[in-house]
Amino acid sequence: MIKFLDLQKITAKYDTEIKQAVDRVIDSGWYLQGKENERFETNYANYIGVKHCIGVANGLDALIWIIRAYIEMGIMNEGDEIIVPANTYIASILAITENNLKPILVEPDLNTYQMDDSLIEKAITSKTKAIMIVHLYGQCAYTEKIGELCKKYKLKLIEDNAQAVGCLYSRQSAVSSEQQAVNKKTGSIGDAAGHSFYPGKNLGALGDGGAVTTNDDELAKVVRALANYGSTQKYVFKYTGRNSRLDEIQAAILDVKLKYIDEDNEKRRQIARYYIENINHPDIILPTISPFRGLGGSHHVFHLFPIRTKRRDELQQYLTDNNIQTNIHYPIPPHKQECYKDWNHISLPITEQIHVEELSLPMSPVMTTDEVLYVVEVVNNWR
């Protein structure tokens, strides 16, 4: 069986270093908010290219605390609006409604699956306070047009970077009549970003974990307090916060795996390149890698490899019968979920088309060449 994602094999890659890191934490007698968190936060901030990283309990909390911090800072108020992709994982939207703000759903581009920047401006109202972009599947969602809209309407740009650790936004910029390359990692492009270290992510912990990255000193201070019961000083509580902290063991494990993230992402790109160049089936649509979202796709980190077909369920069963695990991201769009039943009547045809056609093929840095060749062969032989 070719697993969709072989977490045991991934963990085994770093087995010795992970066990050493865990033993170090156990022997230290310090299990929360200690040196391991300090080390990982510093290293991750440096890797992303920002001043601040705050470790939190998970990726959803990371987004919740960003928005909550803006409320505490007086930048947002209950009832304000945040523009968000309609086809995202539900966590992006939960973070908005958790703070009693209103998500404004914008359809994606059917080719890239990222939010269609040509549709954003007409969704902006006097209550709009931010645009949340989601680097879905590992591809950069940012465009210069989105940046221009944020400047024009004085909006915060929030990144959901749960699926794109290591992804790079690149463009050529004219400076003093000379062309200069601009390279920024996702998570450093906007005003703040939420990150997930769920085990299945490109940079995954052995449990839940997340982080907020930002260059905003005040935002970082408020987020850190909110995630620590609302406290900046022991037993003194400025905010009504919650307990949402990254533990020392997870921080130590993540710091081990961070050293190898670029190497692992490159392996994912190699697999994706082989899929794209060799899967050839009239009923299957392969991912489109936009040159405006990472130099022709060279910096896409392929957290997932999504294909589309109108015969999705049939293809999934065929692959299962041939010992290839697949997954669907995601079977039900957010606006059709029961928890948002007030939206169930809304028609978002592009989002809905993606959700009934999408199928994710196996993708991980521990796939063997033989496994990749077999997936391609079986897919191409589907009738």
Side-chain angles (χ1 to χ4, degrees):
M1 171 67 74
I2 297 178
K3 293 184 178 181
F4 177 73
L5 181 66
D6 194 334
L7 289 178
Q8 286 177 302
K9 199 171 178 182
I10 289 172
T11 303
K13 251 187 103 175
Y14 321 105
D15 182 74
T16 300
E17 288 183 81
I18 286 175
K19 288 177 179 176
Q20 289 173 347
V22 171
D23 286 345
R24 185 174 68 242
V25 175
I26 292 170
D27 293 343
S28 75
W30 195 286
Y31 308 126
L32 281 169
Q33 296 186 303
K35 292 181 180 178
E36 300 296 342
N37 260 272
E38 290 178 12
R39 182 184 296 112
F40 173 68
E41 288 180 350
T42 297
N43 290 340
Y44 194 66
N46 290 338
Y47 176 77
I48 295 296
V50 292
K51 289 168 63 177
H52 303 284
C53 168
I54 304 97
V56 297
N58 53 69
L60 171 57
D61 277 7
L63 295 173
I64 288 172
W65 299 134
I66 290 169
I67 298 169
R68 172 73 183 280
Y70 281 133
I71 292 172
E72 295 291 352
M73 293 163 67
I75 292 169
M76 297 180 187
N77 296 286
E78 291 188 6
D80 284 340
E81 298 171 352
I82 295 180
I83 290 171
V84 64
N87 63 315
T88 184
Y89 181 60
I90 201 167
S92 315
I93 296 169
L94 287 171
I96 300 170
T97 57
E98 171 82 7
N99 282 290
N100 295 315
L101 271 67
K102 183 180 179 181
I104 303 300
L105 307 180
V106 170
E107 288 264 61
D109 181 309
L110 186 57
N111 294 313
T112 65
Y113 310 130
Q114 310 301 325
M115 185 158 52
D116 188 338
D117 61 10
S118 71
L119 303 177
I120 294 175
E121 189 163 19
K122 65 182 180 183
I124 296 173
T125 73
S126 60
K127 289 191 173 184
T128 307
K129 292 297 187 293
I131 297 172
M132 181 186 291
I133 56 174
V134 181
H135 305 299
L136 198 65
Y137 305 145
Q139 182 167 205
C140 181
Y142 179 77
T143 65
E144 288 186 61
K145 185 168 185 176
I146 291 173
E148 290 165 2
L149 289 171
C150 288
K151 289 179 182 177
K152 179 178 178 179
Y153 293 98
K154 297 181 172 57
L155 306 177
K156 294 296 182 182
L157 179 61
I158 301 170
E159 297 175 74
D160 181 340
N161 198 47
Q163 298 187 5
V165 172
C167 181
L168 199 66
Y169 169 71
S170 302
R171 66 178 174 85
Q172 295 294 320
S173 176
V175 179
S176 302
S177 73
E178 295 181 3
Q179 291 294 316
Q180 180 177 339
V182 175
N183 298 306
K184 282 189 170 186
K185 283 196 175 73
T186 56
S188 71
I189 300 168
D191 295 286
H195 307 251
S196 169
F197 305 127
Y198 178 78
K201 296 298 196 293
N202 290 33
L203 179 63
L206 299 190
D208 271 324
V212 172
T213 57
T214 184
N215 285 313
D216 185 326
D217 296 342
E218 181 65 18
L219 181 77
K221 182 179 178 181
V222 177
V223 166
R224 191 174 293 281
L226 287 168
N228 186 36
Y229 297 99
S231 173
T232 55
Q233 179 183 347
K234 194 170 185 179
Y235 302 136
V236 178
F237 304 94
K238 184 173 182 178
Y239 311 104
T240 53
R242 284 214 310 258
N243 176 10
S244 176
R245 300 175 299 201
L246 183 67
D247 71 68
E248 288 285 278
I249 287 178
Q250 300 305 338
I253 291 167
L254 288 166
D255 203 51
V256 168
K257 296 177 78 173
L258 180 61
K259 295 183 294 184
Y260 303 101
I261 186 64
D262 288 339
E263 174 188 319
D264 286 350
N265 283 342
E266 180 55 32
K267 181 64 185 295
R268 289 173 178 270
R269 279 191 285 268
Q270 291 171 5
I271 294 168
R273 190 175 302 120
Y274 190 84
Y275 279 163
I276 290 170
E277 291 175 354
N278 292 278
I279 292 176
N280 183 15
H281 195 290
D283 293 335
I284 292 175
I285 298 170
L286 297 171
T288 300
I289 312 304
S290 169
F292 301 105
R293 290 187 167 95
L295 292 180
S298 62
H299 298 290
H300 192 312
V301 296
F302 290 99
H303 169 59
L304 300 170
F305 189 88
I307 62 174
R308 286 187 10 249
T309 175
K310 295 184 184 302
R311 301 161 56 200
R312 192 260 309 280
D313 293 347
E314 182 185 333
L315 174 58
Q316 185 174 42
Q317 185 59 56
Y318 163 78
L319 293 174
T320 300
D321 292 343
N322 282 274
N323 297 313
I324 298 172
Q325 287 185 346
T326 58
N327 213 330
I328 298 170
H329 296 90
Y330 301 93
I332 306 172
H335 69 286
K336 296 298 183 183
Q337 296 285 352
E338 186 176 354
C339 63
Y340 291 122
K341 58 186 176 184
D342 289 346
W343 300 346
N344 288 174
H345 68 284
I346 296 173
S347 174
L348 295 167
I350 297 175
T351 293
E352 290 159 23
Q353 180 179 348
I354 292 170
H355 283 257
V356 298
E357 294 181 354
E358 194 278 340
L359 185 68
S360 298
L361 296 182
M363 170 59 71
S364 83
V366 294
M367 285 186 74
T368 66
T369 299
D370 286 345
E371 287 174 333
V372 176
L373 293 173
Y374 180 71
V375 170
V376 171
E377 178 185 0
V378 172
V379 169
N380 283 340
N381 286 336
W382 178 45
R383 293 292 179 262

